[in-house]
Amino acid sequence: MLTDTAGIHHITGIVRDAQANVDFYATTLGLRLVKQTVNFNEKFTRHLFYGDETGSPGTALTFFPYPAEEPGRPGTPQIRTASLVIPPDAVNYWADRLASRGVEVNGPFERFDETVIRFSDPDGTDLELVTGESSVEPWADGPVPAERAIHGIHGVTLHSTNPFVTASVLDTLGFDLVAQESDRVRYRVPGDRATVVDLLDRDGEFGREGAGSIHHVAVRVEDEAQLYEWHDLFRERGYDVSRVKDRHVFHSLYVREPGGILFELATDGPGLTFDVDPEALGQSLYLPPWLEEDREMIESQLRPLDLPGNRGDERRDTDVEADEGNGTDGSN
């Protein structure tokens, strides 16, 4: 029997510069770089994973850096925004931290009884920090004080060409309609992390995938056997669904629903720590066995990365916290 998803597994975007991506997500946002690998279908393209201490499901943001990629254009059908959870009293800390690093911040503003600040990464990927509760423990050894740090994924915002059809897919996956504000409709699954999908019920020009676009959102499934059941269900309904793929850190399949949004369904295991001591996560390039014999050639084609652990700039950012003269209660 199929069981409902427990929420979002990971979110994957397209960017240009791998080093700028590491600097922003690991240093500015304070997430842990938990995996360096390659796109298994394009072995000379990096695939970078960030998250909590182990990159557990519901915390992982992943990126494909394509140096020559043209900028994306916002529109439909797209995953417009990735949202991350912060503590309710950390809003001013984050507004100050981002601004001090030259990041333009919009907000804070209120939405669904949450406080939100909006900004973009160096490639224009739309991001939000949203106040809320999460079972995720932030990475304790990062540059952001633990009491202010990001607690994994909050959710995503979808802009579909057919929101009614996309809503039906969300319902099939186990998301329930819980609220609406203006043209933003909120769906949620029961759970303790990464449970929110907002669907925009509005018209829009067609977008273009490129640097700054979110390529897909993955939702959690229990195991590989469930993936095959989901595959059969989507195929019976005439959806564009892939075969089940072995990604080594999980098994997954992809489905492009009629509203144009690309979903991945991914298993929780074996996880990003399956091949390495957790202390060494993200420090070296992981290759699957069928690419290992090409390691020297692959590494020669990838520009070396200056990793956070190899630099002297990863002290906790207490100076920003100390300079917060306007309080930390989320007001502005």
Side-chain angles (χ1 to χ4, degrees):
M1 291 262 316
L2 282 172
T3 57
D4 293 343
T5 180
I8 293 170
H9 186 282
H10 68 267
I11 302 167
T12 295
I14 299 170
V15 296
R16 289 193 197 88
D17 186 79
Q19 186 64 61
N21 190 255
V22 169
D23 291 343
F24 186 80
Y25 285 92
T27 302
T28 298
L29 294 190
L31 303 176
R32 188 180 189 188
L33 176 64
V34 290
K35 203 78 173 177
Q36 294 185 63
T37 183
V38 295
N39 184 331
F40 292 173
N41 299 320
E42 300 178 55
K43 62 186 179 183
F44 299 123
T45 298
R46 288 188 182 274
H47 193 181
L48 302 173
F49 291 71
Y50 307 88
D52 65 357
E53 185 173 6
T54 61
S56 61
T59 75
L61 300 178
T62 93
F63 295 91
F64 297 120
Y66 293 102
E69 187 73 22
E70 291 294 321
R73 182 178 64 242
T76 64
Q78 284 183 354
I79 302 163
R80 293 296 298 272
T81 307
S83 303
L84 307 173
V85 179
I86 59 171
D89 63 354
V91 173
N92 285 344
Y93 170 86
W94 278 103
D96 290 346
R97 180 180 178 86
L98 292 168
S100 72
R101 286 158 174 76
V103 179
E104 183 178 348
V105 175
N106 293 314
F109 57 90
E110 299 301 311
R111 188 178 67 206
F112 294 119
D113 298 322
E114 300 159 339
T115 303
V116 181
I117 57 176
R118 184 177 292 156
F119 58 100
S120 299
D121 74 5
D123 286 283
T125 309
D126 287 333
L127 301 169
E128 293 175 341
L129 297 178
V130 181
T131 58
E133 302 296 330
S134 171
S135 66
V136 173
E137 291 296 327
W139 183 33
D141 294 328
V144 176
E147 65 272 17
R148 302 283 187 260
I150 290 169
H151 288 249
I153 294 168
H154 176 267
V156 291
T157 299
L158 310 181
H159 196 180
S160 165
T161 58
N162 189 331
F164 297 103
V165 174
T166 304
S168 176
V169 174
L170 292 173
D171 179 71
T172 298
L173 291 169
F175 287 85
D176 296 321
L177 171 62
V178 296
Q180 181 169 356
E181 281 191 9
S182 184
D183 58 4
R184 179 179 293 266
V185 186
R186 173 151 295 185
Y187 292 81
R188 189 191 295 272
V189 293
D192 59 2
R193 63 174 69 186
T195 58
V196 170
V197 172
D198 286 350
L199 183 59
L200 299 179
D201 185 9
R202 68 174 72 147
D203 295 331
E205 300 293 328
F206 282 101
R208 179 182 63 215
E209 188 173 90
S213 298
I214 297 175
H215 184 263
H216 66 267
V217 58
V219 299
R220 299 168 63 184
V221 298
E222 286 186 354
D223 53 37
E224 190 177 356
Q226 288 267 310
L227 281 178
Y228 285 100
E229 291 192 50
W230 281 111
H231 174 275
D232 292 346
L233 174 67
F234 285 123
R235 188 170 64 176
E236 288 168 5
R237 296 186 179 184
Y239 289 3
D240 181 10
V241 59
S242 76
R243 62 180 176 82
V244 173
K245 301 174 183 287
D246 181 359
R247 298 306 195 192
H248 273 227
V249 293
F250 50 76
H251 287 75
S252 72
L253 62 80
Y254 297 86
V255 58
R256 178 82 67 178
E257 53 87 24
I261 304 298
L262 182 61
F263 288 96
E264 184 178 13
L265 283 69
T267 60
D268 280 1
L272 294 171
T273 62
F274 85 100
D275 67 316
V276 65
D277 186 310
E279 293 295 322
L281 282 172
Q283 295 303 301
S284 61
L285 182 69
Y286 168 76
L287 295 175
W290 67 87
L291 293 179
E292 189 59 51
E293 64 181 19
D294 296 328
R295 174 176 289 274
E296 184 175 353
M297 177 178 61
I298 291 170
E299 291 186 332
S300 72
Q301 299 300 309
L302 299 176
R303 182 177 298 177
L305 287 177
D306 185 10
L307 301 179
N310 297 332
R311 303 197 297 253
D313 60 355
E314 295 312 301
R315 63 182 178 83
R316 286 198 182 282
D317 190 19
T318 54
D319 54 333
V320 172
E321 185 177 7
D323 289 342
E324 287 182 357
N326 55 351
T328 55
D329 61 356
S331 61
N332 199 22

